[in-house]
Amino acid sequence: MVGFKNRFMLMEVYLDPDKDLLGEGTPVILTKLNLSEAIKDSILVNFGECGLASCLGSFHVAYVNPVTKLCIVRSSRDEHRRVWSAMTLVRSVGNCPVVFNLLDISGCIRACRDAALKCETDKFNQSGKGLSEEEIREMNRKMRTPRTLEVWKLGTVNYLKSLKLQDKLVSERKANRIPDTLLSLQHPPTYTLGKRRTDHNLLIPEAELKSIGAELHYTQRGGDITFHGPHQAILYPILSLRSIGFGARSYVEALERSMIEFSSLYGVKARAGNKCETGVWVGDRKIGAIGVRISSGITCHGLAFNIDPDMKYFEHIVPCGIADKEVTSLRRETDAQLPSEEVIHEQLVTCLAKVFSYDDVVVKEDPSAILNTLEDDD
């Protein structure tokens, strides 16, 4: 049995602007600050200084919508009844008389957030002003705790070294010692096979790979054979799916949307693959590949987007195991002038952060210290 340390209470605040206490005639606008002060004042008045002190450890107004008058209040499990009682005894916020009504109580912010989103959507629908998907996503974003994505710009990295780095970061993320992390990099010419081991889709004898300057590596990711090399934008997200509320399928779809949104910056109409076709396509030509691994809810591996790679390398494989489709690149699909690849990487990272609703992106320009701790397998 899981014992949650906190309780999250979804409250509706009823205002009476016609009974302004000071006669100033302006209805109060609910904010985290004035709600927090009103609730703490009520705790102090009704439960004394000791009661207030015992509640303050985890008390927090996590969300307020001044339009729908809904708020989410966090309190410790042991003190939530005291806080709940104090809220029912609040008589005013600022100059305006109010009444608090409990709508939902939960042991996790996600469940309380979902209840709030449903209530708010119902309110707007009842008023005849239905919410668009974008408005719902924005409300959802505001309800949760702000999330940070840490981005490591690694340049060109040997494939085996990148695997070791991912393994290390996955362990750190499982232990919650690091935030969600994104590796932005390129590889020397490398073919990789997924855990299905579809060697027959490698069309060149393995002994001849060295003659074309390429390596072959077997991995534990999903997907079929693919190529990684210079002039590709490769992103390896090390994310906690539980913390962002994604399942495996929705995670892959979000990676696809990230590349689709990025492609649109250059006037390229990309789309997600049809059934059994992961990745991103322009017509029947594949421009972005996806292969992921998820362990205990933590992701690794990720996506590869073709900026302007040497397309001859794709002639030696059946890309992603699909024999009757071509591979393309951003260079081939757009008439727009392409900026530097560093800028392109940054744009793709920005699109991914937006799709996954991260509030802040922290870029580590020189992560050489962590790379130097890994054994170089070159």
Side-chain angles (χ1 to χ4, degrees):
M1 180 177 179
V2 177
F4 292 99
K5 295 181 179 179
N6 291 318
R7 291 291 180 264
F8 296 87
M9 293 169 278
L10 174 62
M11 309 294 296
E12 185 171 18
V13 185
Y14 293 99
L15 303 182
D16 188 353
D18 296 328
K19 295 182 180 179
D20 185 277
L21 294 182
L22 298 182
E24 295 178 0
T26 302
V28 70
I29 296 176
L30 297 180
T31 66
K32 290 183 180 181
L33 178 61
N34 60 22
L35 280 181
S36 179
E37 291 301 318
I39 296 169
K40 286 190 289 186
D41 286 346
S42 180
I43 297 173
L44 178 61
V45 168
N46 293 285
F47 298 101
E49 292 182 353
C50 291
L52 178 61
S54 65
C55 292
L56 287 182
S58 63
F59 171 77
H60 175 59
V61 178
Y63 169 74
V64 177
N65 189 325
V67 177
T68 60
K69 309 298 188 292
L70 296 184
C71 64
I72 295 176
V73 178
R74 183 190 71 192
S75 178
S76 69
R77 178 180 57 190
D78 295 335
E79 298 294 336
H80 82 278
R81 292 184 182 276
R82 194 194 307 265
V83 174
W84 179 5
S85 299
M87 286 190 287
T88 64
L89 295 170
V90 172
R91 291 293 173 259
S92 66
V93 174
N95 301 324
C96 188
V98 299
V99 175
F100 280 77
N101 179 40
L102 179 69
L103 299 180
D104 186 81
I105 186 168
S106 176
C108 67
I109 183 64
R110 185 183 304 168
C112 197
R113 180 194 67 194
D114 291 344
L117 186 59
K118 183 179 185 304
C119 289
E120 294 190 323
T121 303
D122 290 344
K123 280 176 174 284
F124 278 101
N125 288 338
Q126 290 169 7
S127 68
K129 299 177 181 179
L131 294 176
S132 67
E133 290 186 5
E134 182 64 29
E135 289 171 324
I136 291 174
R137 281 197 297 269
E138 180 64 14
M139 288 168 58
N140 203 8
R141 184 189 68 80
K142 290 180 178 179
M143 284 183 212
R144 57 170 170 73
T145 303
R147 293 204 314 268
T148 297
L149 179 66
E150 191 170 276
V151 179
W152 292 17
K153 297 168 65 175
L154 301 180
T156 301
V157 180
N158 170 274
Y159 189 79
L160 287 181
K161 181 177 282 190
S162 77
L163 286 182
K164 288 190 174 184
L165 179 56
Q166 289 180 76
D167 288 343
K168 179 181 178 68
L169 293 175
V170 166
S171 296
E172 294 289 299
R173 189 67 187 93
K174 285 180 180 179
N176 208 30
R177 287 192 287 263
I178 62 171
D180 285 348
T181 301
L182 181 68
L183 306 182
S184 175
L185 51 87
Q186 294 189 8
H187 291 306
T190 306
Y191 295 108
T192 65
L193 280 159
K195 57 187 177 183
R196 286 186 289 171
R197 298 293 189 268
T198 50
D199 299 68
H200 58 278
N201 287 325
L202 178 65
L203 305 180
I204 182 175
E206 190 171 341
E208 296 181 17
L209 288 175
K210 190 173 182 180
S211 66
I212 62 171
E215 300 177 351
L216 174 67
H217 294 291
Y218 295 88
T219 75
Q220 292 300 310
R221 63 164 173 80
D224 210 295
I225 192 169
T226 193
F227 169 75
H228 296 311
H231 312 300
Q232 272 186 339
I234 297 174
L235 300 183
Y236 292 147
I238 315 296
L239 313 181
S240 169
L241 293 186
R242 293 188 182 95
S243 69
I244 61 178
F246 278 55
R249 182 66 248 173
S250 57
Y251 170 64
V252 171
E253 290 171 349
L255 293 179
E256 291 172 338
R257 290 200 305 274
S258 301
M259 290 190 281
I260 291 170
E261 183 162 324
F262 168 73
S263 300
S264 70
L265 299 178
Y266 294 93
V268 177
K269 294 183 178 180
R271 62 170 178 84
N274 298 321
K275 188 176 181 180
C276 300
E277 294 179 350
T278 59
V280 170
W281 302 72
V282 181
D284 287 332
R285 303 174 300 281
K286 191 165 190 175
I287 196 170
I290 293 175
V292 303
R293 184 186 182 197
I294 301 172
S295 174
S296 301
I298 307 300
T299 68
C300 61
H301 296 279
L303 65 85
F305 187 90
N306 295 331
I307 303 171
D308 188 22
D310 185 345
M311 306 303 283
K312 291 182 180 179
Y313 282 102
F314 290 98
E315 297 174 1
H316 301 298
I317 60 173
V318 180
C320 301
I322 304 174
D324 58 343
K325 300 292 176 69
E326 298 179 10
V327 177
T328 189
S329 67
L330 184 62
R331 174 71 69 186
R332 290 187 174 189
E333 298 296 335
T334 184
D335 295 326
Q337 181 70 32
L338 296 184
S340 68
E341 291 193 0
E342 181 179 3
V343 170
I344 288 176
H345 276 252
E346 291 173 354
Q347 291 173 332
L348 183 55
V349 167
T350 299
C351 289
L352 184 142
K354 178 182 177 182
V355 168
F356 282 85
S357 298
Y358 285 98
D359 302 279
D360 191 24
V361 175
V362 177
V363 178
K364 300 188 76 169
E365 295 283 354
D366 184 21
S368 56
I370 187 67
L371 287 174
N372 291 337
T373 65
L374 302 173
E375 180 181 348
D376 193 345
D377 291 286
D378 292 343

